[in-house]
Amino acid sequence: MPAFRVELGPHAHDVHVGPGLMAQLGELARSAGLIPGRAAIVTDSNVAPLYAAAVDGALKAAGFVPVVVEVPAGEASKSLEALARLYDRLTEAELDRASPIFALGGGVIGDLAGFAAATYLRGLPLVQIPTTLVAQVDSALGGKTAVNHRAAKNLIGAFYQPRLIVADTAALATLPAREFREGLGEVIKYGAIIDAPFIAWLESAMPAILAREPAPLEALVERSLRHKAHVVANDEREGGLRKILNFGHTLGHALEASAGYGSYLHGEAVAIGMVAAARLSARYAGLSADEASRLEALIEAAKLPTRMPPRWQSENFLRALRLDKKRARDAVEFVRLDRLGHALTRKLGFDEIVILDQAR
Ligand SMILES: NC(=O)c1ccc[n+]([C@@H]2O[C@H](COP(=O)([O-])OP(=O)(O)OC[C@H]3O[C@@H](n4cnc5c(N)ncnc54)[C@H](O)[C@@H]3O)[C@@H](O)[C@H]2O)c1
Ligand SMILES: [Zn+2]
């Protein structure tokens, strides 16, 4: 039984969430309509030794004949060079247009293998098998695939929906602590923008979540993905509603860029961005100061940062905000909360950004 279906008309697909699902991958792939035969498992150098054999075995048991293609772990593999090497391997494996690509790993693998699947032979069936919390609650669903260009992140990409998503929550057990907590930033985001009861649940479940107990992990991944699926199903190509997923991201991106990529993980910068956006919401959008503090306390309970560093290069930060790719003249798109669990988007004038910068 799938956890749920992402309703995208001709691109509709199932999502399965639960511990131990990698062992059933072969059957799941067959019931999603994928045809046994040649296939590729694309993974990275950290994930391969942990999970490639299990996925390979499960696929072989169902009649697939996969090759395992391993790329070095890390963001550097989301490059045109790594993509070119990946195409080479797919050619050597003699894949045809029915051969599925299984993206086994975090968001880097999902984006890279997803873009390869979108483009190789004008499109191969794609299966997402996310193994990080970020990938399980966010990047595996939604169809955004990309590689980076030296000029900017995710500059070269495509919207390309997977045929199936299998989130094996048992894989989260081996994730380093910092990467695990990072994913919680995006989880809290869904509560803040869509689901106030989820915030209350996260508040009480946080100790069990941080201890990575299986039941709360499964519940958290499924609920997060359902929210993303709902938003994406109503706005596949980011025309309107999908923008609310950028809550905390305008400031988060600026912080990532101005602090130098690598100082903050994305989810950490977004955590700080959400706290700032909540304070801004309390000032301009009807969120109460108590609700803003409650969100901050939850982010703190997830052991994520909530404040920008004290000796902050204000000018770099403002420059980065202005360079935000969603900017329009002197305004940036800013997602605010009018209450916990409900988001609004609005263009924020440059003056307001300066006020925010001074208030932080
Ligand atoms: N397509 C989208 O909608 C979307 C959304 C959010 C982020 N992203 C992209 O996702 C990327 C970040 O994803 P990420 O945070 O998953 O990073 P990642 O893929 O680099 O994974 C983080 C680290 O964890 C390791 N790892 C993965 N699974 C593991 C496991 N189960 N056990 C132990 N180690 C494991 C990886 O090897 C890597 O070292 C960025 O490139 C970002 O642009 C895309
Ligand atoms: Zn994000």
Side-chain angles (χ1 to χ4, degrees):
M1 277 285 288
F4 62 94
R5 199 165 167 76
V6 188
E7 298 298 347
L8 286 168
H11 302 135
H13 59 84
D14 286 342
V15 178
H16 298 261
V17 179
L21 285 178
M22 274 183 203
Q24 298 167 39
L25 188 67
E27 302 143 46
L28 295 175
R30 285 183 83 137
S31 31
L34 299 175
I35 301 156
R38 289 196 176 121
I41 300 166
V42 180
T43 188
D44 77 22
S45 51
N46 290 335
V47 177
L50 294 168
Y51 304 111
V55 166
D56 187 59
L59 290 176
K60 279 182 177 146
F64 291 92
V65 187
V67 291
V68 178
V69 183
E70 185 185 310
V71 306
E75 185 75 23
S77 281
K78 254 179 73 171
S79 65
L80 284 170
E81 295 74 19
L83 180 68
R85 286 192 292 272
L86 176 53
Y87 289 141
D88 290 345
R89 300 294 306 277
L90 300 180
T91 326
E92 286 156 22
E94 297 180 25
L95 297 191
D96 61 54
R97 291 179 85 167
S99 310
I101 299 221
F102 294 87
L104 172 67
V108 165
I109 289 297
D111 282 11
L112 170 72
F115 188 64
T119 47
Y120 191 69
L121 296 175
R122 298 198 184 86
L124 299 183
L126 170 66
V127 177
Q128 291 282 6
I129 313 159
T131 62
T132 63
L133 189 56
V134 167
Q136 293 198 353
V137 301
D138 185 2
S139 61
L141 195 153
K144 282 196 196 175
T145 71
V147 295
N148 302 326
H149 184 272
R150 64 182 176 283
K153 245 176 89 70
N154 298 324
L155 203 61
I156 303 147
F159 279 100
Y160 192 68
Q161 295 295 337
R163 296 278 293 273
L164 174 69
I165 300 174
V166 179
D168 185 337
T169 46
L172 299 175
T174 53
L175 198 61
R178 192 174 172 197
E179 273 75 15
F180 179 79
R181 292 194 300 265
E182 177 191 16
L184 293 176
E186 304 283 353
V187 171
I188 292 168
K189 181 187 78 180
Y190 294 117
I193 60 175
I194 300 175
D195 186 355
F198 193 27
I199 293 279
W201 182 81
L202 287 167
E203 284 168 340
S204 63
M206 193 53 77
I209 291 166
L210 289 174
R212 303 194 209 179
E213 288 177 16
L217 283 191
E218 181 178 356
L220 160 163
V221 170
E222 182 178 338
R223 192 150 165 179
S224 298
L225 281 181
R226 276 184 192 274
H227 286 315
K228 181 146 185 197
H230 173 79
V231 171
V232 168
N234 287 290
D235 180 16
E236 192 179 351
R237 288 182 173 243
E238 205 164 50
L241 180 65
R242 200 162 168 169
K243 286 179 183 156
I244 67 170
L245 296 174
N246 288 329
F247 177 62
H249 280 60
T250 304
L251 289 161
H253 285 148
L255 190 55
E256 275 182 281
S258 58
Y261 279 105
S263 324
Y264 287 105
L265 295 179
H266 172 74
E268 294 169 345
V270 168
I272 294 169
M274 287 194 293
V275 172
R279 274 186 280 148
L280 190 80
S281 302
R283 197 184 273 245
Y284 295 110
L287 188 77
S288 73
D290 282 355
E291 287 174 302
S293 306
R294 196 175 152 199
L295 186 65
E296 180 167 356
L298 178 59
I299 291 168
E300 217 167 81
K303 300 193 178 352
L304 283 163
T306 55
R307 298 289 162 132
M308 296 184 203
R311 285 190 296 118
W312 192 250
Q313 290 289 320
S314 176
E315 275 176 29
N316 287 346
F317 178 70
L318 289 176
R319 193 177 311 127
L321 258 187
R322 266 175 285 177
L323 284 174
D324 188 286
K325 66 172 185 250
K326 282 155 193 115
R327 78 195 186 285
R329 295 178 186 225
D330 277 344
V332 290
E333 192 91 43
F334 208 86
V335 183
R336 303 176 302 162
L337 306 176
D338 55 345
R339 54 188 155 84
L340 264 189
H342 194 262
L344 315 161
T345 65
R346 199 196 113 186
K347 294 250 191 292
L348 191 68
F350 190 67
D351 290 351
E352 289 171 288
I353 295 170
V354 174
I355 291 167
L356 174 73
D357 185 56
Q358 289 161 351
R360 66 159 195 263

